[in-house]
Amino acid sequence: MSKLLCETLKNLTHKSQQIKKNNYLDDFFTGHIFPSVAAVYPLSNRALILIDKDDRILSTVSHDSDLEELDLTNRFFSFSESNSKMHKLMIRYDKATLYLLKNIPTALNSYGYSLLLISESDIPEAFSDLSRMSESLENIAVENEKQNKSHKELLNYLDAVDDGISACDKDGNVTYINSSACKLIGADKEKVIGENLNNPPFKDTILVQIIKSQKPQMDFEYDLYYSGKRSHLMNSAYPVFDDDGKIIGAIDIFRRIKRSYQIASNMAGHRASYEFNDFIGSGPKLQNKINLAKEFSNINKNTLIEGESGTGKDLFSQSIHNFSDRKAGPFVAINCANYPIDLFDSELFGYEEGAFTGAKKGGKSGKFELAEGGTLFLDEIGEMPMQLQAKLLRAIETKQITRLGSNKTITIDVRIIAATNKDLEKMVERKQFREDLYYRLKILYLKLPPLRERREDLYELCEHFIEQINPEMEIPVTGISNEALDLIRSYDWPGNIRQLENILSIAMFMSGGGILEISHLTQAGLECQDGDPYFKKNLEDSSLDILLAALNDNGYNIKQTAEDLGISRNTIYRKMKKYGIERK
C-alpha cells in the first residue's frame, strides 16, 4: 500500500484515550470472517476497512505491507454522524478516494457496521463490490451464529450431565471440562481449560495415559489428583481419532465411586422396595413392632432382627432403611448362608486384581463398599463362619475394611442390619457365635412375632394374597368360607407368612375360582391340628372325597392322580392305606 494512502488514513482518523470493547461484532467475526472475505478482493494500492457504529476501526485488510506499520485499530474516523440506514458516501481526499458504505444493517444486531474502501484510483464498481461483501459477511455471520448457538447448546447439555466429562488434545492440553467434573475435583472451569495434564496441579491423569496407549479403558476405579486433592472415581476413557486415523485427543467420563456403587447395587437388585405402609395386619403385636422399628430408623446404629423364617425380617430391614435418613443411599443384602468361607470373604470385603486365581481384572468391590452411605443387610447372620466374625467385628469397630490381597484400608460409612432365625444368645453360650460381635450387632433389637401369635391378622392377610394372586387365575376367587377361615386360624403356621401365601396360592388354583373351601386347603397340603376333632373329622371326610374322586377320574392311575392333586405318589399310597382304599 502506498505511503499516500497511509498518510490519508492517518489524517482522517484520530486516537481516543478510552478503549471501547466490541459490543456487537464478536472477535471471531472481526478477526476471522472479515479478513477471509476481504482477502478475496483485489487490494493492490487499496485497503478495506471494517468500522463500527461509532466510526471506530475494528479491522483493516490490504495486500501491501506498509499498512502493517500503521496500527489503525481503535482509531476513529472523522465522519459526520448519521443514524439513517445504509447509505453510500464517496469522499475525495488529496489523491485518494474513499468509498464508504455506512450503517449496514445486520440480522444479528440492530446497530449495524460500515465498510470503507480506500484507493489511489477511482473504482466505478466500488459500491456494488462493498454491497456484495456485506451480503457475504452477513450470510457467513448468520451461519456462524447458528453453529455457535448449536455449540453452546451442546455445551449446556454436557453441563447438565451429572457425570464428569473432560477432554484434551493430543498434547495433553485441556480443551473441555463440564461443570460436574469441576465440582467433582474441586476446580474452576476457566482456569482448567488450557492447562496441560502433564504438569502440576495435575498428577498421573488417565487422559495422558490414553493418548500414549491409544486404547480405551472402561469402568475402572481411578484416583485423580488435582491440586493435592484426591478424588476416588469410576472412570471410562477413550482416544479420539481424525478421519485419517491419527489421534487428536482423548475424552473421559467419570463419577464418584460412591454413586457408581449405588448404581451397581440397583442393577444387581440391591434395592429396598418395601416400606412400613406395605405391611398387612392391623393387630397390636404387628403395629407395636412397626412403631418400634420406625423409632430405630432414626437412630443410626446397628440393628439385630430375630424371628422365625417367614416372619418378614427382610421386609422390616428394607422398611427401616427407607424410613431412615439413609434412604437415598444403597441397600445391599447378602445371605450369610449362601457362600463358602473363601467366597464369602471376597464377597463381603472385595478383592484386588491378582488376589487369587480367577480374580477379576481390576479387582472387585465388596458388599461393604457397595453399601457406602446406605445400609448393609446381613441375612442369616447366625450362619456366618467364625473366622469371618472377627473380621466383621473389626470392620464395625474401626469403620474400615481391607480388600482381599490389598494392604490399603478403605473407610466406610455403612449401617448394618443383621437378621437371624436362630437364638444368637444361646449360640453365644455354646461358643458358636462371638459374644463381642453379638453385642456389637444388638445395639438395637427387634424380635418379630410368629404368625401363630398374631392370628388377628390372618383374615387381612388372606384377603391380600387372594387379591394378589387373582390376576393369574382364569376364574377369580371371590372369597373364603368361614369354615376354611376357621381352619386357617386354628393352624400354627410353622412356616409363617411365606407358608400361608404358598398354601393359598395352591388352594386357589385347585379351586378353579369361586369360594375357597376346606377341601381346597387340604388339597393344597394344609392339615388339621391334632386334638381338634371337629376340624379333623371335616378334613378327613373332605380329603377322602377328593382322593376317591381323583382316583376314579384317572382310573386309579397313581402317577396321574398324584400329578392332578399336586402331591407325591408316596402320599397317595399313604392316604390309600390310611383310608383302606384298595388299588383297582
Side-chain angles (χ1 to χ4, degrees):
M1 185 179 189
S2 68
K3 294 183 178 179
L4 170 66
L5 293 184
C6 288
E7 193 65 28
T8 301
L9 288 172
K10 188 174 181 180
N11 292 335
L12 290 175
T13 59
H14 65 276
K15 281 189 176 182
S16 174
Q17 293 181 351
Q18 185 177 3
I19 302 298
K20 294 184 178 182
K21 293 183 178 180
N22 294 352
N23 58 0
Y24 69 99
L25 293 174
D26 60 23
D27 292 335
F28 187 77
F29 183 90
T30 304
H32 296 278
I33 296 179
F34 172 71
S36 298
V37 172
V40 180
Y41 192 74
L43 292 174
S44 179
N45 295 321
R46 303 175 186 177
L48 190 64
I49 303 171
L50 178 68
I51 306 170
D52 71 6
K53 69 178 183 64
D54 298 315
D55 294 335
R56 177 176 60 120
I57 296 177
L58 297 173
S59 181
T60 304
V61 177
S62 175
H63 292 170
D64 295 311
S65 59
D66 290 344
L67 191 64
E68 296 178 1
E69 300 177 5
L70 181 63
D71 185 11
L72 296 173
T73 305
N74 288 319
R75 291 180 67 89
F76 288 79
F77 270 99
S78 302
F79 294 134
S80 60
E81 294 184 3
S82 172
N83 294 324
S84 61
K85 288 188 176 181
M86 185 175 67
H87 61 274
K88 304 168 185 176
L89 180 66
M90 185 181 76
I91 303 172
R92 294 189 184 275
Y93 184 84
D94 199 357
K95 295 181 180 180
T97 305
L98 291 78
Y99 300 92
L100 177 66
L101 198 60
K102 192 170 177 61
N103 296 339
I104 301 170
T106 171
L108 301 181
N109 193 284
S110 59
Y111 294 117
Y113 61 96
S114 300
L115 286 176
L116 175 65
L117 178 61
I118 181 171
S119 173
E120 291 184 355
S121 57
D122 291 344
I123 307 173
E125 67 278 10
F127 286 115
S128 60
D129 292 342
L130 290 175
S131 295
R132 284 196 301 272
M133 275 189 280
S134 68
E135 289 176 5
S136 298
L137 287 171
E138 177 71 4
N139 292 336
I140 295 174
V142 169
E143 187 61 31
N144 176 67
E145 181 65 18
K146 289 179 181 178
Q147 294 179 2
N148 189 42
K149 185 177 180 181
S150 299
H151 178 67
K152 287 181 178 178
E153 287 180 351
L154 175 60
L155 296 184
N156 289 336
Y157 292 145
L158 294 177
D159 265 340
V161 175
D162 193 47
D163 291 343
I165 303 173
S166 65
C168 70
D169 60 22
K170 63 182 177 62
D171 298 317
N173 300 309
V174 178
T175 55
Y176 175 75
I177 186 169
N178 71 346
S179 298
S180 296
C182 290
K183 290 178 182 177
L184 286 171
I185 67 174
D188 181 85
K189 182 183 291 191
E190 293 185 1
K191 290 182 178 179
V192 172
I193 293 178
E195 288 189 358
N196 192 282
L197 297 175
N198 294 289
N199 305 322
F202 291 100
K203 178 185 176 184
D204 301 328
T205 61
I206 189 63
L207 289 180
V208 172
Q209 299 174 34
I210 293 296
I211 290 173
K212 290 178 180 178
S213 68
Q214 298 191 18
K215 295 180 180 179
Q217 292 188 40
M218 291 170 281
D219 301 327
F220 60 95
E221 290 188 39
Y222 168 60
D223 289 330
L224 173 65
Y225 292 90
Y226 176 78
S227 296
K229 176 187 174 184
R230 169 183 171 269
S231 298
H232 193 193
L233 309 170
M234 180 65 72
N235 202 322
S236 292
Y238 310 86
V240 181
F241 303 94
D242 62 15
D243 293 339
D244 297 325
K246 296 180 180 179
I247 191 164
I248 59 174
I251 184 171
D252 67 343
I253 304 170
F254 52 89
R255 62 172 66 96
R256 288 197 189 281
I257 197 71
K258 290 182 180 180
R259 183 164 176 265
S260 296
Y261 287 161
Q262 185 172 355
I263 293 172
S265 296
N266 291 339
M267 292 180 66
H270 302 313
R271 188 179 303 168
S273 55
Y274 285 95
E275 299 182 357
F276 288 118
N277 291 335
D278 296 322
F279 283 89
I280 307 299
S282 54
K285 290 188 177 179
L286 175 64
Q287 291 303 315
N288 287 340
K289 297 301 179 183
I290 290 175
N291 292 333
L292 183 60
K294 286 181 177 179
E295 292 183 18
F296 288 174
S297 300
N298 298 316
I299 305 172
N300 191 28
K301 298 292 183 181
N302 296 336
T303 305
L304 177 63
I305 303 176
E306 285 189 355
E308 297 177 7
S309 295
T311 52
K313 298 184 292 295
D314 186 14
L315 274 61
F316 264 91
S317 67
Q318 293 186 40
S319 300
I320 290 172
H321 172 81
N322 282 330
F323 202 74
S324 72
D325 56 5
R326 289 177 173 265
K327 62 184 178 182
F331 177 87
V332 178
I334 181 171
N335 191 308
C336 300
N338 285 351
Y339 299 92
I341 185 171
D342 53 340
L343 290 180
F344 194 15
D345 194 349
S346 62
E347 192 70 22
L348 193 60
F349 298 102
Y351 59 81
E352 291 293 333
E353 180 177 338
F356 50 85
T357 303
K360 180 181 177 182
K361 185 177 180 180
K364 181 182 177 183
S365 304
K367 300 298 186 186
F368 264 107
E369 291 178 77
L370 291 176
E372 175 67 23
T375 302
L376 177 62
F377 177 51
L378 301 175
D379 198 9
E380 299 193 50
I381 187 68
E383 303 294 335
M384 177 176 280
M386 289 290 286
Q387 299 95 311
L388 279 179
Q389 290 181 25
K391 197 169 182 180
L392 174 60
L393 176 65
R394 187 174 183 278
I396 293 174
E397 290 178 337
T398 63
K399 298 187 183 301
Q400 291 182 331
I401 63 165
T402 303
R403 286 185 177 183
L404 199 64
S406 172
N407 56 8
K408 184 175 70 173
T409 58
I410 301 172
T411 302
I412 53 171
D413 173 24
V414 173
R415 177 182 184 172
I416 294 176
I417 300 178
T420 181
N421 58 8
K422 295 185 176 182
D423 189 332
L424 286 190
E425 192 168 1
K426 289 183 178 179
M427 291 183 67
V428 169
E429 293 174 0
R430 295 193 294 265
K431 307 298 182 182
Q432 296 173 333
F433 198 86
R434 291 183 64 108
E435 183 178 16
D436 44 9
L437 177 59
Y438 172 65
Y439 287 111
R440 280 290 186 180
L441 294 174
K442 197 183 176 182
I443 297 176
L444 303 176
Y445 177 67
L446 199 63
K447 176 76 173 180
L448 301 184
L451 192 53
R452 60 183 173 274
E453 293 181 10
R454 40 180 289 230
R455 299 180 193 271
E456 65 273 14
D457 295 331
L458 280 166
Y459 179 68
E460 291 178 69
L461 287 166
C462 288
E463 278 192 325
H464 169 74
F465 288 131
I466 289 173
E467 182 180 350
Q468 192 177 62
I469 299 167
N470 257 337
E472 302 174 28
M473 302 280 295
E474 291 185 10
I475 303 174
V477 169
T478 55
I480 184 169
S481 70
N482 292 332
E483 292 78 14
L485 187 59
D486 287 341
L487 171 60
I488 289 173
R489 284 173 173 158
S490 72
Y491 190 66
D492 275 349
W493 298 106
N496 293 292
I497 296 174
R498 193 177 293 119
Q499 184 188 12
L500 173 64
E501 181 181 10
N502 181 262
I503 289 291
L504 283 175
S505 177
I506 296 172
M508 287 175 67
F509 283 102
M510 290 291 185
S511 71
I515 300 294
L516 278 185
E517 301 289 352
I518 287 179
S519 58
H520 303 135
L521 295 173
T522 57
Q523 194 174 355
L526 188 63
E527 294 188 357
C528 164
Q529 302 286 99
D530 291 337
D532 193 333
Y534 171 77
F535 283 116
K536 187 172 182 180
K537 174 73 168 58
N538 279 279
L539 290 174
E540 287 188 354
D541 290 346
S542 299
S543 184
L544 176 58
D545 291 342
I546 293 170
L547 181 58
L548 286 171
L551 286 168
N552 286 323
D553 289 343
N554 292 295
Y556 278 73
N557 183 311
I558 304 300
K559 180 181 178 182
Q560 189 61 47
T561 301
E563 290 178 357
D564 286 353
L565 294 179
I567 56 181
S568 69
R569 284 180 286 181
N570 287 337
T571 302
I572 296 291
Y573 286 125
R574 180 173 57 81
K575 287 184 176 292
M576 289 176 67
K577 182 179 180 181
K578 176 181 178 180
Y579 296 128
I581 302 172
E582 295 183 3
R583 184 173 182 181
K584 296 180 181 180

